[in-house]
Amino acid sequence: NVHLSHLTGTNKSFIEQHIPHLSKLLTADLDELINDSEVLVVATKENDFSEKLNGNTDKIIIDLVRINDNLLEQENYTGIAW
């Protein structure tokens, strides 16, 4: 999770200089994130996210952490790096 208000130093400077529009792309609303995305990349094991992805077949899911074994059978799911 990225919280722009917590960034300092060179990380904050980089974002301000190179990707100032980042704040417009971030949301704390999980449903909004899923609805507005074509591809979902899972990088942490969050129970809420796992539940929302289970049965979701209209988004491409790339899983870096093996969030939920139930997703393994879905055609839109790819697990890598685990």
Side-chain angles (χ1 to χ4, degrees):
N1 299 336
V2 175
H3 299 280
L4 292 179
S5 61
H6 296 161
L7 293 176
T8 60
T10 56
N11 289 332
K12 182 176 181 179
S13 295
F14 179 85
I15 288 174
E16 289 171 345
Q17 291 174 4
H18 300 283
I19 45 177
H21 62 284
L22 180 63
S23 64
K24 295 176 187 172
L25 301 174
L26 298 176
T27 181
D29 184 318
L30 183 55
D31 290 322
E32 180 182 352
L33 171 72
I34 292 171
N35 289 333
D36 292 348
S37 301
E38 294 178 23
V39 177
L40 302 166
V41 179
V42 182
T44 62
K45 286 191 175 191
E46 302 284 338
N47 287 336
D48 290 343
F49 203 53
S50 175
E51 292 170 9
K52 297 278 185 178
L53 293 178
N54 197 23
N56 185 319
T57 58
D58 63 334
K59 308 291 179 178
I60 296 169
I61 302 169
I62 300 172
D63 184 359
L64 305 177
V65 294
R66 197 170 190 162
I67 192 167
N68 183 335
D69 285 341
N70 294 331
L71 298 172
L72 295 172
E73 302 301 320
Q74 292 183 195
E75 289 184 24
N76 62 318
Y77 174 85
T78 301
I80 58 174
W82 41 263

